Amino acid sequence: MKAGFIRLKSHFVLILIASFAHPTSAVTLQQVLRAALERNPEILEAKAGLEQAAGQRLVFRSIVWPDFDVNVPAGVQYGHRAGENGVKGFAVGRGNLGQTLFNMAVPPSLRRGDIEVLIAQQQLNVAVVQQLHAARLAFYAALYNRSLESLRDEQLQRLQENVATQKNRLKAGLADRSGFTSATILANELVPQMEAAQRAYREAQLNLAQAMGIDPAKSSLPEPEGELKFLPMEIDVEAETAAALQRRVDLKLARLFVRAANEDERIIAADYYPALTGSIHGEWVPVSGIHRQESTSKTQDFIGSELREKAAYTWRVIDNGKVGGAVLRARAAREENELTCRNLEGNVTRELPRIANDIQAIAAREKSLASATAAAEESAQTVKENVASGLVSQFEYRVTQNGFLRTRGGLLDAIYQHNVAAAEWDRATGRYFQFSYKTRKPGSEADK
């Protein structure tokens, strides 16, 4: 199985299978993905399933292998018959060799055994995609909620300063109680929002630890490193849709299930065609004069080693697979898998345009909020300068600062949504795990 690449925003980052040495320190997204590949329980279970599939492949392919067994019965013969006296020890070596000469089930069995391994490989790939995507979303959620918590803290400080200012203005008779009450309500409303951001951050840390295979009871929760950034994306929906239909691992897995069901149907139907088996039976007797079981004369005794060959011909003529419904049931399973596969392919053509529209809408929103944030920051800076010269009051300055922070919060949310949408785009287009054939030659096994 060749190495895969994962696309982060507009570029690809090579995933290196390496141990994660310090799970309690600050971690980058690339380190999170490395740890997930190395320790994630779902990925490890899928790897074990791949090893099990190799054994199942032997079961399917064993139909073409010879069947050979050896046994050595031994014992003691005693008694009197036809002038023989005394006790004789004996041992007989017996061997049986059977070989399928003709069976219609051989070709589909060989193909089915290969498909079993391919299914396990694609199941591993699907698990890798799912767990890497979950780790990436958890990383983004942790960064977002941590930044949101910090922003809410700044807003709370401004609102608390507003409460203090309104209280002083009320005492000085410069404002009525409604201004003080409104400022207090605004500050109190922000407290549960700040607590919600804290809880969401801890939950994202737990999800991150689970994706990385870290036991929270034995180690501290990982701390994500960095901040969310906005990177523009250029999207060609038509080209990406065609590529996704070819490289998405869940589609490959669905197609493999269709192939497997088709081979299962062929194997069942082959049971009702003629089959020819050859066999060789041999017996080796180190001594003569040993009676066969239930023999009544010396002509039936062992007189030496012998070898017998034969061929067996079987053909079911009563039930051809349709009477009992075995073939029909297998065909129904194949048709169901085909329907599931077509539904998945149809979902791709609908999902990619939707995600592309979301990305474009979020990008437009981010651009608008970035302009508004820049204007709010400039306005807050102007008010700050006027405060120093006594042209505006501290109350107006704090109101301006609070508005600036709210605009920053909207921009932060837009950047987070854009990162999530980019991750969904990478998942939907199959970019988390795509094979690299850069070094292959035309006509090689990779092309086949």
Side-chain angles (χ1 to χ4, degrees):
M1 189 170 56
K2 296 180 175 63
F5 294 88
I6 175 172
R7 179 180 184 270
L8 302 180
K9 304 297 187 291
S10 59
H11 64 283
F12 292 91
V13 178
L14 179 62
I15 300 175
L16 302 175
I17 306 294
S19 60
F20 189 66
H22 304 287
T24 60
S25 61
V27 293
T28 63
L29 178 57
Q30 190 172 2
Q31 290 173 324
V32 169
L33 299 178
R34 292 174 185 169
L37 284 172
E38 181 72 17
R39 301 178 181 178
N40 185 273
E42 298 293 335
I43 295 178
L44 294 179
E45 182 178 355
K47 289 180 179 179
L50 180 57
E51 297 176 358
Q52 182 180 0
Q56 186 65 23
R57 179 187 183 186
L58 299 179
V59 174
F60 282 107
R61 298 173 70 93
S62 63
I63 187 175
V64 301
W65 293 348
D67 185 11
F68 179 70
D69 66 271
V70 177
N71 59 84
V72 183
V76 177
Q77 176 180 293
Y78 63 94
H80 173 76
R81 188 179 71 171
E84 293 184 359
N85 295 314
V87 178
K88 292 181 179 181
F90 69 91
V92 180
R94 290 176 176 172
N96 293 280
L97 174 64
Q99 174 64 56
T100 299
L101 301 179
F102 175 81
N103 193 329
M104 290 291 292
V106 169
S109 295
L110 294 177
R111 293 191 296 265
R112 184 63 175 85
D114 294 333
I115 294 174
E116 191 72 16
V117 177
L118 294 176
I119 288 176
Q121 289 176 345
Q122 290 303 326
Q123 286 175 334
L124 172 59
N125 295 344
V126 169
V128 168
V129 169
Q130 291 176 345
Q131 298 307 313
L132 291 184
H133 185 63
R136 186 176 174 184
L137 293 182
F139 186 85
Y140 289 157
L143 289 180
Y144 168 71
N145 286 287
R146 185 176 64 187
S147 299
L148 186 63
E149 180 184 351
S150 176
L151 190 61
R152 292 286 185 262
D153 184 60
E154 291 184 41
Q155 286 182 282
L156 184 60
Q157 291 179 11
R158 296 289 186 275
L159 292 176
Q160 288 175 344
E161 291 174 356
N162 286 339
V163 171
T165 299
Q166 289 295 336
K167 183 177 181 180
N168 294 333
R169 288 166 59 87
L170 178 62
K171 290 181 178 179
L174 301 177
D176 56 13
R177 182 169 292 277
S178 62
F180 171 71
T181 303
S182 299
T184 303
I185 292 175
L186 289 175
N188 292 338
E189 287 179 347
L190 197 61
V191 173
Q193 297 180 22
M194 186 174 178
E195 293 175 350
Q198 291 175 346
R199 289 193 300 270
Y201 175 64
R202 296 303 177 191
E203 182 179 356
Q205 280 187 300
L206 286 173
N207 293 335
L208 197 59
Q210 182 180 4
M212 297 171 64
I214 297 176
D215 187 357
K218 299 179 180 179
S219 179
S220 301
L221 296 177
E223 295 284 346
E225 180 180 337
E227 296 180 356
L228 290 174
K229 296 181 180 180
F230 179 86
L231 295 177
M233 298 177 59
E234 296 182 0
I235 296 176
D236 186 344
V237 176
E238 184 176 353
E240 290 291 348
T241 300
L245 290 173
Q246 297 298 322
R247 68 181 171 221
R248 272 185 54 161
V249 293
D250 56 341
L251 295 181
K252 292 180 180 180
L253 180 60
R255 292 168 188 148
L256 285 173
F257 278 129
V258 173
R259 288 175 54 189
N262 183 59
E263 299 302 338
D264 288 338
E265 181 182 350
R266 290 173 177 267
I267 291 172
I268 294 174
D271 288 340
Y272 301 95
Y273 283 86
L276 182 62
T277 303
S279 63
I280 299 175
H281 175 74
E283 291 181 338
W284 175 74
V285 183
V287 297
S288 60
I290 303 300
H291 305 307
R292 290 182 184 271
Q293 185 178 5
E294 298 180 355
S295 67
T296 58
S297 65
K298 288 188 176 182
T299 58
Q300 297 175 339
D301 291 345
F302 290 105
I303 57 175
S305 302
E306 59 183 4
L307 189 67
R308 297 191 300 272
E309 306 86 12
K310 66 178 181 179
Y313 174 82
T314 60
W315 191 8
R316 298 184 182 182
V317 295
I318 303 301
D319 181 7
N320 64 353
K322 296 182 178 179
V323 178
V327 174
L328 297 179
R329 287 193 295 270
R331 185 173 303 166
R334 174 178 59 82
E335 293 174 351
E336 182 178 354
N337 290 339
E338 289 176 346
L339 180 60
T340 301
C341 184
R342 287 196 295 267
N343 289 338
L344 288 175
E345 292 172 346
N347 289 339
V348 172
T349 60
R350 293 186 293 269
E351 185 179 20
L352 290 185
R354 178 186 60 79
I355 297 176
N357 291 335
D358 290 344
I359 291 176
Q360 292 176 356
I362 294 172
R365 179 180 170 221
E366 188 276 338
K367 183 178 180 180
S368 176
L369 287 171
S371 300
T373 301
E377 184 178 11
E378 183 179 356
S379 176
Q381 183 64 27
T382 301
V383 172
K384 182 179 180 181
E385 294 173 356
N386 292 334
V387 167
S389 60
L391 297 178
V392 297
S393 65
Q394 287 287 340
F395 173 73
E396 293 174 315
Y397 167 68
R398 289 164 185 160
V399 170
T400 306
Q401 285 288 329
N402 191 50
F404 168 56
L405 292 175
R406 284 199 300 270
T407 309
R408 277 181 55 193
L411 179 61
L412 175 63
D413 181 72
I415 294 176
Y416 169 66
Q417 294 297 333
H418 186 270
N419 279 267
V420 172
E424 290 293 336
W425 177 260
D426 290 340
R427 177 199 57 78
T429 55
R431 295 188 179 276
Y432 273 99
F433 200 99
Q434 55 182 329
F435 296 111
S436 173
Y437 296 131
K438 293 182 179 179
T439 59
R440 72 183 184 187
K441 298 179 180 179
S444 63
E445 288 297 324
D447 287 326
K448 297 179 183 179

